[in-house]
C-alpha cells in the first residue's frame, strides 16, 4: 500500500474517532495507521516517522489506545524497545457486557425515584433511559452470540481469515 494512502486512511480514522468518540486526533490516526502499517508491529520511533508526528504525540496516543485495550506493547527477547500493534482483542465486539447496562438502568431508576411525585412528562426522559438500558442489557448478549455465529460462517466460507480473536 502506498504511504500516502496509509496516511489518508489514518487521517480519516482520526477524524472519525475524534468526531464519534472524542478521541484526540492523533490517537485515532495512530489506530488507523496500526490497521494498515507494515510491519504490523512498530516502535514508537517508526510510528512517529510513519505518521510524521513527534515521539511524545505517539507515546500519548499509544497510552490512550492501551487504556481502551485497542493497542498493545510487546517486546521481543533481546530487544531494548517496545513494539506497538493492534490488540487482537480489539477487533472483538466491545460493550456487550449486560452488567454495564444493568448498572445504567439502576442509575436511571434512582433518578426516577427522585422524581417520584413529578408529572409523567418530567419523568419521561429517565423512564425512556431505563427502558433503553434494560433493552440493551437483554439484547446485546444475544447480538454478541449472533456475531460469533456469523463470524464462524464467514471464516468457514473463506470470507474471513481463520486467525484472530
Amino acid at each position: 500500500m502506498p504511504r500516502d494512502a496509509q496516511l489518508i486512511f489514518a487521517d480519516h480514522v482520526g477524524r472519525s474517532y475524534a468526531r464519534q468518540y472524542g478521541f484526540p486526533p492523533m490517537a485515532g490516526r495512530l489506530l488507523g495507521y496500526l490497521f494498515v502499517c507494515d510491519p504490523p508491529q512498530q516502535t514508537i520511533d517508526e510510528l512517529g516517522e510513519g505518521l510524521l508526528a513527534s515521539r511524545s504525540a505517539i507515546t500519548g496516543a499509544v497510552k490512550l489506545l492501551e487504556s481502551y485495550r485497542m493497542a498493545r506493547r510487546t517486546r521481543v527477547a533481546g530487544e531494548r524497545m517496545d513494539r506497538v500493534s493492534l490488540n487482537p482483542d480489539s477487533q472483538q465486539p466491545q460493550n456487550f457486557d449486560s452488567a454495564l447496562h444493568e448498572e445504567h438502568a439502576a442509575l436511571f431508576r434512582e433518578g426516577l425515584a427522585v422524581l417520584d411525585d413529578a408529572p409523567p412528562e418530567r419523568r419521561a426522559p429517565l423512564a425512556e433511559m431505563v427502558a433503553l438500558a434494560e433493552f440493551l442489557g437483554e439484547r446485546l448478549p444475544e447480538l454478541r452470540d449472533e456475531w460469533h455465529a456469523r463470524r464462524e460462517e464467514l471464516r468457514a466460507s473463506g470470507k474471513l481469515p481463520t486467525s484472530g480473536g
Side-chain angles (χ1 to χ4, degrees):
M1 174 181 275
R3 182 170 148 67
D4 287 347
Q6 290 176 326
L7 289 175
I8 290 169
F9 175 72
D11 286 342
H12 289 169
V13 173
R15 282 195 297 276
S16 175
Y17 271 68
R19 183 178 61 251
Q20 295 294 322
Y21 306 110
F23 272 37
M26 181 51 70
R29 286 183 71 221
L30 175 60
L31 179 63
Y33 190 70
L34 288 172
F35 274 108
V36 297
C37 66
D38 187 33
Q41 301 85 23
Q42 302 215 353
T43 67
I44 298 289
D45 289 336
E46 290 168 337
L47 292 168
E49 184 178 318
L51 285 168
L52 309 172
S54 71
R55 182 177 174 79
S56 63
I58 297 296
T59 300
V62 168
K63 285 180 183 176
L64 180 74
L65 293 179
E66 283 179 314
S67 75
Y68 285 98
R69 294 188 290 175
M70 299 172 105
R72 68 178 180 180
R73 295 181 208 222
T74 55
R75 187 175 294 191
V76 176
E79 283 194 350
R80 297 181 58 151
M81 64 194 95
D82 291 336
R83 295 197 174 268
V84 179
S85 62
L86 287 174
N87 181 350
D89 295 336
S90 70
Q91 285 98 55
Q92 296 308 305
Q94 305 296 311
N95 298 323
F96 280 87
D97 182 3
S98 60
L100 172 69
H101 302 289
E102 291 166 6
E103 183 179 320
H104 285 159
L107 181 65
F108 297 131
R109 278 190 214 96
E110 181 183 337
L112 278 175
V114 170
L115 297 179
D116 194 39
D117 295 331
E121 60 275 1
R122 178 77 173 97
R123 294 170 45 89
L126 281 169
E128 187 164 335
M129 293 304 294
V130 168
L132 174 61
E134 289 172 343
F135 173 78
L136 292 173
E138 292 169 12
R139 287 288 296 142
L140 286 177
E142 295 170 15
L143 287 173
R144 180 196 57 230
D145 294 343
E146 289 176 31
W147 162 243
H148 287 156
R150 167 86 51 90
R151 182 182 61 189
E152 290 310 311
E153 290 171 11
L154 292 169
R155 285 179 176 170
S157 72
K159 292 179 181 175
L160 278 180
T162 57
S163 65

